[in-house]
Amino acid sequence: MQNKNDFLRVGLYMRLSRDDEKLSESLSIENQRIILQKYVAERNGVVVDEYIDDGWSGTNFDRPDVKRLLDDAQSGKISTIIVKDLSRFGRNYIQVGQYIDYIFPAYGIRFIAISDNIDTAERNSTAMDMMPIMNVFNEWHAANTSKKVRSVKEASWKAGKYSDWGYPYGYKAGTDEKRTAVIDEPAAQVVRRIFDLRVNGESSRGIARILTDEGIPNPATYFTRLDGKKLNKKFSPYWCQTTVLWILSNPIYIGNLVQHKTTRVSYKNHKVIYIPENEQAVRENAHEPIITREIWDKVQAMKQSVSRGRKDNDNKVHALSGFLVCDGCGKKLKLAKPSKKRKNQDYYFVCRTYKDLGKKYCTSHCMKEKELEYIVLEDIRSMLSYVKIDEEKAKERFLRERAKSTEQNRYSDEKRLAMLKNRLVELDAFMQSAFEEKVLKKIPESVCINLCEKYQREKETVEAEIAEIQERLDQANQDINEVEEYIRRLKRYGNCEELTREMCLQLINFISVGEKDETGNREIHIYYKFISKQELKEFQESKLKSIP
């Protein structure tokens, strides 16, 4: 039995969410403190501790100070908990009711909500009878507030208004109503450098190392200095690969504002879930871009490359590094430096399996770097000349090399698809007609059922074939788009005099290198970007030997 006069070990609990803060000044932490302290003082009570969750939603019971409050209550440090009203303790009616009706009584804890006249020492009061209704209302208020907040955010997204709390590195807040992102030139110069380094073949880890070595402050350090604060010790002052990758993949740098990337399961469940790209709020040309679309496309295309490339002792990544694959074992060829004794010898590539395990497992496939670069450059030039003569024929040739559907097959598919869609309409009409005749008693019910089942089976078969044809047509469209993109890339390098790392990353997927035959010839196959990664995997798996 709880003592009505027990105010000797009191814990004061206060909570304020961001939404509450906007609604009323009277809900402030300081105002809650004044009300609670006055209540305890009038009853000659003793406050043991204060528990404050500032900026936390009442639907979330995973709050740091509410946890501390409950731990102190269970350990006996406090015997009475006082809040301004029930909603301060929580807005989840199930959990609030569980604590007040079961958990607190089990530990002999008295709970008081001043504004609602709730006092668990007065179990028979009218206020205690009304408590379940108050809890439901408090949760309804949370749900309603959540809907309003979401509606406001959606309206902001549609209007192109920037709604995130902070701006990405390279931008700052504008002074207009939409808070349009404005270029922050010192940081923007670093962003441009990052993209340029990547286009030139530098890895994300290498970029992070270069920026750190040059003493360029990373985003966390940069923003901290702008605010005039000291850097938090938990934040590293150095650039890392993750930060570079985030910058390289953020479309805000080409002027696109992408919002609504994440959401929460509900106003009760605060687990963050990611929104699919086709459902995100995207507004193109929302602000001034830092980089051009051409550079952006180059960097995104490099993500598909199988080459990772390694630097040599001179800190240089060679043009073909990481692209060459042994046609014997499927492993990549390793770039080897000439020995010190042969000063004038060129770099060469050699099979990694041969280099590591010896000729028992594979042959050397050794070839000079300059010879390979010459062969690849000439092949690119021959394709480019073919494109210049007749671009449409070149496109057809590339599509044939992908071994996809011909135009004739595409025409047949489109014709068949139209016929199947018409048949679906007919089947629906037949099913409706059969049902109407059954209602009018023109045919028996059993006949109607048999007809409908027959039509339904045919309908399912037709729908399955439609899905299969549509998938084929979609793939054909994708093939055409990819080949057109490849031709655009190819034309960019029409005037190149030498093979560059950038050129390889934009055009080539991988190159298989064969061993010399008895006549001294070897087969070299160049697989360009319109060949999928899956084909590389299949190629390697077909060649892979059993190596211990």
Side-chain angles (χ1 to χ4, degrees):
M1 189 74 179
Q2 294 173 354
N3 186 351
K4 296 180 182 180
N5 298 314
D6 183 10
F7 286 94
L8 298 178
R9 291 175 294 152
V10 176
L12 305 182
Y13 181 75
M14 292 155 271
R15 181 188 66 80
L16 183 70
S17 72
R18 295 289 175 248
D19 294 329
D20 292 330
E21 191 173 12
K22 295 173 185 175
L23 291 173
S24 175
E25 186 67 29
S26 65
L27 293 175
S28 68
I29 295 294
E30 188 56 38
N31 187 70
Q32 291 180 54
R33 180 183 285 111
I34 291 170
I35 293 171
L36 298 179
Q37 287 180 345
K38 181 182 178 183
Y39 184 86
V40 175
E42 288 174 350
R43 288 155 181 78
N44 299 318
V46 177
V47 175
V48 175
D49 206 345
E50 292 183 353
Y51 306 85
I52 303 170
D53 284 316
D54 196 357
W56 289 83
S57 168
T59 59
N60 178 12
F61 266 79
D62 194 25
R63 292 169 252 151
D65 258 30
V66 85
K67 285 182 175 181
R68 190 166 66 87
L69 171 79
L70 298 173
D71 288 341
D72 288 351
Q74 291 175 11
S75 66
K77 181 179 177 180
I78 57 176
S79 60
T80 302
I81 297 172
I82 304 178
V83 297
K84 178 180 176 291
D85 55 58
L86 275 174
S87 68
R88 295 307 91 205
F89 185 60
R91 291 189 183 275
N92 184 317
Y93 80 94
I94 293 177
Q95 287 187 282
V96 171
Q98 185 180 23
Y99 277 109
I100 294 176
D101 289 335
Y102 299 100
I103 297 176
F104 290 161
Y107 290 96
I109 304 298
R110 183 182 182 185
F111 181 85
I112 299 172
I114 299 172
S115 300
D116 297 323
N117 293 319
I118 297 292
D119 187 344
T120 54
E122 301 281 355
R123 284 285 173 182
N124 297 322
S125 66
T126 304
M128 287 296 293
D129 293 338
M130 292 294 293
M131 187 183 69
I133 298 174
M134 293 179 192
N135 283 332
V136 171
F137 178 81
N138 286 331
E139 182 162 328
W140 170 85
H141 176 79
N144 193 44
T145 301
S146 176
K147 288 180 182 178
K148 288 179 180 178
V149 170
R150 290 195 180 201
S151 297
V152 170
K153 284 185 176 181
E154 287 176 5
S156 297
W157 297 331
K158 290 178 181 178
K161 184 176 180 180
Y162 196 93
S163 60
D164 288 347
W165 66 271
Y167 286 77
Y169 182 71
Y171 285 101
K172 57 186 177 181
T175 56
D176 62 331
E177 184 182 352
K178 292 184 178 181
R179 300 177 64 233
T180 304
V182 177
I183 292 179
D184 180 15
E185 195 53 43
Q189 290 178 7
V190 179
V191 171
R192 294 188 193 101
R193 178 112 187 279
I194 289 171
F195 276 88
D196 288 341
L197 286 169
R198 184 67 185 118
V199 166
N200 291 324
E202 193 65 59
S203 68
S204 54
R205 183 178 283 107
I207 294 171
R209 188 182 298 114
I210 289 171
L211 298 178
T212 300
D213 290 345
E214 293 178 358
I216 296 173
N218 68 359
T221 307
Y222 180 78
F223 287 129
T224 303
R225 290 179 182 177
L226 285 180
D227 294 337
K229 300 177 181 177
K230 289 185 178 180
L231 184 66
N232 192 319
K233 290 183 179 180
K234 70 178 181 179
F235 294 119
S236 170
Y238 309 120
W239 285 85
C240 65
Q241 182 182 14
T242 304
T243 303
V244 173
L245 287 172
W246 183 88
I247 290 173
L248 291 172
S249 61
N250 195 334
I252 195 168
Y253 296 115
I254 53 171
N256 292 352
L257 179 59
V258 182
Q259 301 185 102
H260 189 42
K261 296 179 183 178
T262 61
T263 187
R264 299 185 186 274
V265 175
S266 70
Y267 69 96
K268 284 186 179 182
N269 188 335
H270 296 273
K271 180 183 178 182
V272 175
I273 55 176
Y274 288 91
I275 304 295
E277 286 189 12
N278 60 344
E279 296 178 19
Q280 294 175 3
V282 180
R283 193 175 185 86
E284 296 185 353
N285 303 317
H287 50 265
E288 185 180 355
I290 290 177
I291 62 164
T292 65
R293 185 77 198 205
E294 182 182 359
I295 292 176
W296 169 264
D297 289 340
K298 286 182 179 180
V299 169
Q300 304 319 304
M302 291 168 71
K303 291 180 181 178
Q304 307 303 318
S305 177
V306 301
S307 170
R308 291 296 176 264
R310 295 179 181 274
K311 291 184 177 181
D312 60 19
N313 293 338
D314 298 323
N315 209 32
K316 174 187 174 184
V317 180
H318 292 241
L320 290 173
S321 178
F323 285 101
L324 305 174
V325 180
C326 172
D327 79 341
C329 66
K331 292 293 185 68
K332 289 189 176 182
L333 299 191
K334 181 178 181 180
L335 182 68
K337 187 177 181 180
S339 63
K340 293 181 179 179
K341 294 180 180 179
R342 301 178 180 180
K343 295 181 180 179
N344 297 324
Q345 188 177 356
D346 296 327
Y347 277 89
Y348 63 94
F349 287 96
V350 64
C351 173
R352 184 173 293 276
T353 301
Y354 172 83
K355 189 78 172 176
D356 294 342
L357 301 174
K359 62 183 180 181
K360 179 181 177 181
Y361 299 96
C362 197
T363 55
S364 69
H365 290 71
C366 182
M367 192 169 184
K368 290 182 179 180
E369 179 188 31
K370 287 185 177 180
E371 289 180 9
L372 271 168
E373 287 183 354
Y374 175 79
I375 291 170
V376 174
L377 185 60
E378 285 301 304
D379 196 68
I380 291 173
R381 284 172 176 168
S382 68
M383 283 198 306
L384 183 59
S385 62
Y386 190 79
V387 168
K388 286 179 177 178
I389 294 171
D390 193 328
E391 190 168 318
E392 287 303 315
K393 282 188 177 179
K395 189 188 300 182
E396 290 177 11
R397 172 194 167 190
F398 294 149
L399 285 169
R400 283 197 302 273
E401 289 183 14
R402 295 195 71 156
K404 301 295 182 183
S405 300
T406 63
E407 284 300 312
Q408 185 177 359
N409 290 338
R410 180 181 176 82
Y411 174 76
S412 300
D413 278 343
E414 288 176 343
K415 189 175 179 181
R416 176 67 176 167
L417 184 64
M419 187 188 74
L420 290 171
K421 287 182 177 179
N422 289 333
R423 183 57 180 169
L424 271 185
V425 175
E426 290 177 355
L427 290 170
D428 286 335
F430 291 158
M431 292 172 75
Q432 183 178 347
S433 177
F435 181 75
E436 288 173 353
E437 290 185 1
K438 179 254 180 188
V439 172
L440 295 172
K441 297 184 179 179
K442 291 183 179 181
I443 60 172
E445 183 176 351
S446 58
V447 174
C448 174
I449 292 172
N450 288 335
L451 284 173
C452 288
E453 287 179 347
K454 175 187 174 183
Y455 295 146
Q456 182 61 33
R457 284 194 297 271
E458 184 181 352
K459 185 178 178 181
E460 290 172 356
T461 303
V462 170
E463 287 174 340
E465 188 176 353
I466 286 175
E468 183 180 337
I469 293 174
Q470 192 63 59
E471 185 178 354
R472 255 195 329 265
L473 291 173
D474 291 343
Q475 182 60 50
N477 288 332
Q478 183 180 344
D479 292 340
I480 292 171
N481 293 336
E482 288 180 1
V483 168
E484 287 176 346
E485 171 59 24
Y486 177 75
I487 290 175
R488 281 194 293 272
R489 293 186 202 173
L490 193 62
K491 289 161 74 174
R492 287 177 193 159
Y493 303 103
N495 299 321
C496 286
E497 296 297 327
E498 62 179 14
L499 192 70
T500 64
R501 181 71 180 170
E502 177 186 339
M503 191 188 302
C504 294
L505 287 166
Q506 292 296 312
L507 299 178
I508 299 171
N509 197 346
F510 72 103
I511 301 168
S512 72
V513 179
E515 186 59 277
K516 286 183 179 179
D517 58 19
E518 294 176 355
T519 62
N521 296 320
R522 74 170 85 222
E523 288 190 2
I524 296 175
H525 296 281
I526 304 173
Y527 295 84
Y528 289 95
K529 281 290 185 180
F530 50 86
I531 301 295
S532 67
K533 276 188 170 182
Q534 182 61 29
E535 292 185 53
L536 170 60
K537 183 179 178 183
E538 291 171 358
F539 171 86
Q540 289 178 315
E541 288 177 350
S542 67
K543 297 292 183 181
L544 194 62
K545 291 181 178 180
S546 177
I547 300 175

